[in-house]
Every structure is written in structure tokens, then in C-alpha cells.
Amino acid sequence: MKVFLAVLLAALLYVERAHSLMCFSCTNQKSNWYCLKPTICSDSDNYCVTVSAAAGIGNAVNFGYSLNKGCSPICPGPSVDIGVASVGTHCCQSFLCNFSAADGGLRASTALLALGLLLSLLPALLRPGP
């Protein structure tokens, strides 16, 4: 079991070097919590994209918010803010880099993701055998 977990961890550390990009994906969500589904992109996809759209007038009137994430062969146009409505676009090109809902916000690096996985598997790796 320990060998299997170690091999799994090593494989996950080197996934970024594979040809296929992996991005988080979701469609028309209100929260980033529902946008953490990993998806393997096609070979033609070069970008992980996060697009957030919001409309409203200050804090008084809120017309809604929508968050979309996924894979794309191109990086869509720039962010736009016209006062009562805005569309934020963020593109990146590494393993699960579209972690955050914020444009240019927190991004999880491969090393950080691997460290988290290792720490979560540590009790199983250190458990004495039968």
C-alpha cells in the first residue's frame, strides 16, 4: 500500500510535464466552491481560463454574478469594467492554475498541490504494516 501511494504521489508531481493540460472547470456558478472540478483538457487547449461576470449598482442593487472556468485553445479578450457591469478574464498555462475566482488572485502551484497531497497521505505512509 505504501509503495502504491508513493508511486501515485510521484505520478501527480509529474502530471504537469505531460502534454495534456489540466484545469478546474464549472459553468455559471455563484461561488468558487463549486468550481473546483479538475478536468483534463484536449491536446488543442493551451489555457486554463476563469471568466467572472457581475452587474449591479454599488452595494444597493445587485443584478447577479456568474463564474465560469475551463480549458480553451485561446485566451479570451481582456477584462472589461463599464461601471454597472464587469467581465473579468484570467488565463494561465500550468497544472490546475485557475484555482482562484479572483482575476490574478491566489494560484496554487504544482509544488503547493503536491505538498498538500503528501501531507494528506502522510498518516497512511507512516502507518505500521500488518
Side-chain angles (χ1 to χ4, degrees), residues 53-65 81-86:
I57 303 170
N59 291 331
V61 180
N62 181 4
F63 294 120
Y65 174 80
D81 187 349
I82 58 170
V84 295
S86 65

Side-chain angles (χ1 to χ4, degrees), residues 77-127:
S79 299
V80 176
D81 187 349
I82 58 170
V84 295
S86 65
V87 176
T89 303
H90 176 72
C91 301
C92 53
Q93 293 182 287
S94 59
F95 179 76
L96 297 175
C97 60
N98 62 338
F99 176 79
S100 177
D103 184 19
L106 173 68
R107 286 182 220 110
S109 69
T110 303
L112 182 63
L113 290 171
L115 178 62
L117 179 64
L118 177 63
L119 291 175
S120 68
L121 294 175
L122 200 57
L125 292 171
L126 296 177
R127 186 178 312 139

Side-chain angles (χ1 to χ4, degrees), residues 27-101:
T27 304
N28 294 327
Q29 294 298 320
K30 303 287 184 212
S31 167
N32 194 50
W33 181 253
Y34 301 106
C35 292
L36 300 177
K37 175 187 167 196
T39 301
I40 298 174
C41 303
S42 72
D43 287 340
S44 63
D45 292 328
N46 297 316
Y47 295 93
C48 294
V49 178
T50 300
V51 178
S52 57
I57 303 170
N59 291 331
V61 180
N62 181 4
F63 294 120
Y65 174 80
S66 178
L67 181 61
N68 295 280
K69 293 184 178 188
C71 307
S72 178
I74 61 165
C75 181
S79 299
V80 176
D81 187 349
I82 58 170
V84 295
S86 65
V87 176
T89 303
H90 176 72
C91 301
C92 53
Q93 293 182 287
S94 59
F95 179 76
L96 297 175
C97 60
N98 62 338
F99 176 79
S100 177

